[in-house]
Amino acid sequence: ISYKRIGKNKLMYSSNEGTNFESFLEYIVYQQEKLYIEIYELSDLLKEKYNLHFNTYELITLVKSTSMYYDPISKIVFADYEIYYEVI
């Protein structure tokens, strides 16, 4: 088990969940049954389960720095562009 300080919080994770926060976000999205999640649901999940608070703009910026795809029209984070293409 490792941890990463994010703001005033420590995020604890096992080694298979990633070594940076962006990898952690990808891990969360890939855990979704449909391989995508609305940005507001992702924000709520981070608040409720991990006590991590981000405004929507910060979260979108973090998602864009990963291999995931964010669609600004539907406000959905997809695991990757291929999943986006399949859904849309």
Side-chain angles (χ1 to χ4, degrees):
I1 294 182
S2 300
Y3 77 91
K4 172 114 176 149
R5 184 170 291 283
I6 300 174
K8 296 180 181 179
N9 299 311
K10 287 183 181 177
L11 177 64
M12 307 292 285
Y13 57 89
S14 65
S15 60
N16 66 348
E17 292 178 353
T19 57
N20 59 41
F21 188 68
E22 290 81 2
S23 296
F24 178 69
L25 285 177
E26 289 179 347
Y27 171 79
I28 290 173
V29 174
Y30 275 95
Q31 294 301 308
Q32 305 302 307
E33 183 178 336
K34 298 177 183 177
L35 297 177
Y36 62 85
I37 186 170
E38 290 184 16
I39 193 74
Y40 301 111
E41 288 180 30
L42 178 58
S43 179
D44 290 344
L45 177 71
L46 290 170
K47 285 177 194 170
E48 294 169 11
K49 191 169 182 180
Y50 303 100
N51 196 30
L52 298 171
H53 301 270
F54 294 94
N55 69 42
T56 306
Y57 179 76
E58 291 172 325
L59 199 50
I60 292 168
T61 301
L62 286 167
V63 166
K64 287 182 174 181
S65 70
T66 68
S67 62
M68 296 184 289
Y69 179 75
Y70 173 71
D71 178 38
I73 295 170
S74 63
K75 299 189 182 338
I76 294 176
V77 177
F78 295 88
D80 57 35
Y81 190 77
E82 290 179 23
I83 301 297
Y84 165 75
Y85 188 74
E86 290 174 15
V87 172
I88 301 301

